[in-house]
Amino acid sequence: MKDPCSAPGELLQALAAHVAESARDTLRLSSELAEAHGNEVAMHMAAVWGGQVLYIPKGVHMQASKLHLQIFDEWTGHNQREIAMKHNLSVQFVYKVVKRMRLAVIARNQGDLFASDDGQ
């Protein structure tokens, strides 16, 4: 694969191509629509982020969040061992994820007890 930063503009071209490929594969768009969508996304990124030094993380946290949601969705209260085996994780890690996700759900549902009603 060619280095996407080897010449000005190639990063946007690569982005447009990747978005178009994804649109064809996941959204089942025609090649023409997918290419137009890819170009539109690339131009939007250029308008928003153009001229700036940009660091793009590898998405580890996003992937972890998806895994955590999947673990929590699969959890029935007594199947930690099966979940751990399915995802090649330790049982302790599954317990940790379930605990963290349960606390997040409680916090979301409970809200802030000290927030005023008038928005201040």
Side-chain angles (χ1 to χ4, degrees):
M1 184 174 172
K2 201 174 183 184
D3 180 7
C5 298
S6 61
E10 286 189 25
L11 177 63
L12 290 176
Q13 291 173 352
L15 174 64
H18 287 293
V19 170
E21 180 182 353
S22 177
R24 275 191 301 274
D25 294 346
T26 60
L27 302 175
R28 305 287 186 231
L29 292 181
S30 69
S31 292
E32 294 80 20
L33 282 176
E35 186 176 324
H37 179 66
N39 288 333
E40 187 68 28
V41 169
M43 293 313 298
H44 183 73
M45 292 296 294
V48 173
W49 299 104
Q52 297 186 35
V53 176
L54 183 64
Y55 167 76
I56 300 175
K58 293 189 176 228
V60 172
H61 293 294
M62 184 181 283
Q63 291 170 355
S65 295
K66 288 179 184 178
L67 176 62
H68 293 181
L69 286 170
Q70 187 175 358
I71 289 169
F72 192 64
D73 287 343
E74 293 173 1
W75 182 64
T76 63
H78 58 282
N79 62 337
Q80 292 85 347
R81 192 170 307 282
E82 291 84 8
I83 293 171
M85 289 175 55
K86 176 181 177 184
H87 296 285
N88 198 25
L89 303 167
S90 68
V91 175
Q92 292 80 6
F93 183 78
V94 173
Y95 276 115
K96 186 177 180 180
V97 169
V98 168
K99 180 180 179 181
R100 189 176 298 156
M101 295 297 290
R102 287 180 74 199
L103 290 173
V105 168
I106 290 168
R108 182 191 67 210
N109 292 340
Q110 191 173 34
D112 187 355
L113 297 176
F114 300 103
S116 64
D117 291 335
D118 61 1
Q120 294 181 8

